[in-house]
Amino acid sequence: LEFDGALLRLRLARPKANIVDAAMIAALDGALVAYRAQPGLRGVLLDAEGPNFSFGASVEEHLPAQCAQMLASLHALVLLMIEFPAPILVAVRGQCLGGGLEVALAGGPIFAAPDAQFGQPEMKLGVFAPAASVLLPYRVNQPFAEDLLFSGRSIAAAEAGEAGLVHTVFDDPETAALSYFNQHLAGKSAAALACALAAARGAMVREVRQRLAEVEQLYLDRLMATRDANEGLTAFLGKRKPQWEHR
């Protein structure tokens, strides 16, 4: 806690990849649960140690034996974040990919370094990004969201800013996020901010909750029953090119 309890600082701390695995999800979940009733809390700043925000979720945990638990825990974290009673500011350097971008999307404004790269590369592994499929259209227009989701390409901070995915591009994104907090949030009532978030996100929260359940079921029941999803994940772990059979 900083600024006399007004700001909660959270940092992904397993560089250089900061993989969003079960342990990382549990740590974020635990911190947010522990501090969501903190008196006077007006903001959260989420950043990361090392040169990259996150390479994404654990591919091993996407395999059939673990993917149901992984998706359930990640989607519970997403809901916890979008319902959190204080704005969550996200500072990004380097790679912000896959599950890492999904976590960032569940926060509030994203402050990015010029070298930041954003992408949902899941399609390259023969799978799709469930949480991003739900959250990206709230940040950018539907065609641009579909471009990122279907192509698996990464975009630089400048393009992300033009699309509305990123709020500010600045050499030091943590400083930019802190400046935003001090200028726009620190002087506000925490009670009023909590009510404003509930008011602004009411319909979004209801839809995201429903849509996450739908895409989770689609992922587990339909996608993971395909040969290519299992081939793509296995090929990635084996460091070889996948051989698609389109089934």
Side-chain angles (χ1 to χ4, degrees):
L1 289 171
E2 297 183 359
F3 300 103
D4 295 323
L7 180 69
L8 175 64
R9 295 289 300 266
L10 299 177
R11 176 165 290 163
L12 309 185
R14 286 200 312 214
K16 66 176 181 181
N18 291 319
I19 295 296
V20 179
D21 60 6
M24 184 75 81
I25 292 169
L28 286 168
D29 186 280
L32 291 170
V33 168
Y35 289 100
R36 64 184 170 188
Q38 175 71 22
L41 188 67
R42 274 98 81 194
V44 179
L45 174 52
L46 174 63
D47 60 15
E49 280 187 18
N52 301 290
F53 183 79
S54 174
F55 283 1
S58 165
V59 175
E60 290 85 354
E61 292 178 8
H62 276 74
L63 294 173
Q66 295 178 271
C67 65
Q69 179 57 43
M70 182 274 299
L71 286 181
S73 61
L74 179 58
H75 294 170
L77 174 63
V78 165
L79 288 169
L80 179 61
M81 291 178 70
I82 65 172
E83 291 184 285
F84 199 74
I88 299 176
L89 315 180
V90 184
V92 172
R93 298 175 184 270
Q95 302 293 320
C96 182
L97 305 174
L101 180 51
E102 291 179 319
V103 169
L105 290 170
I110 297 173
F111 302 82
D115 72 342
Q117 294 280 325
F118 300 88
Q120 297 291 164
E122 286 85 350
M123 282 296 294
K124 297 178 180 180
L125 278 65
V127 295
F128 70 90
S133 298
V134 176
L135 296 174
L136 260 177
Y138 283 101
R139 294 295 190 104
V140 299
N141 62 50
Q142 184 72 23
F144 195 84
E146 292 183 1
D147 170 27
L148 295 182
L149 292 165
F150 301 163
S151 71
R153 71 184 182 99
S154 292
I155 59 173
E159 184 177 358
E162 293 171 0
L165 178 61
V166 163
H167 182 272
T168 299
V169 179
F170 193 74
D171 287 343
D172 186 339
E174 294 84 4
T175 295
L178 286 171
S179 177
Y180 182 94
F181 172 78
N182 285 317
Q183 184 176 356
H184 299 296
L185 302 177
K188 302 299 193 298
S189 159
L193 278 173
C195 290
L197 279 164
R201 295 184 175 179
M204 173 188 172
V205 168
R206 290 192 295 272
E207 184 173 62
V208 168
R209 187 180 298 278
Q210 177 182 337
R211 292 283 295 121
L212 281 177
E214 292 170 353
V215 298
E216 190 174 315
Q217 184 174 5
L218 174 64
Y219 193 103
L220 296 173
D221 295 348
R222 183 173 167 186
L223 176 72
M224 292 309 296
T226 68
R227 179 263 179 199
D228 283 354
N230 291 276
E231 163 64 10
L233 296 170
T234 303
F236 178 86
L237 293 173
K239 299 181 180 180
R240 60 175 176 83
K241 185 176 180 179
Q243 302 297 316
W244 306 128
E245 294 185 5
H246 314 294
R247 61 182 178 88

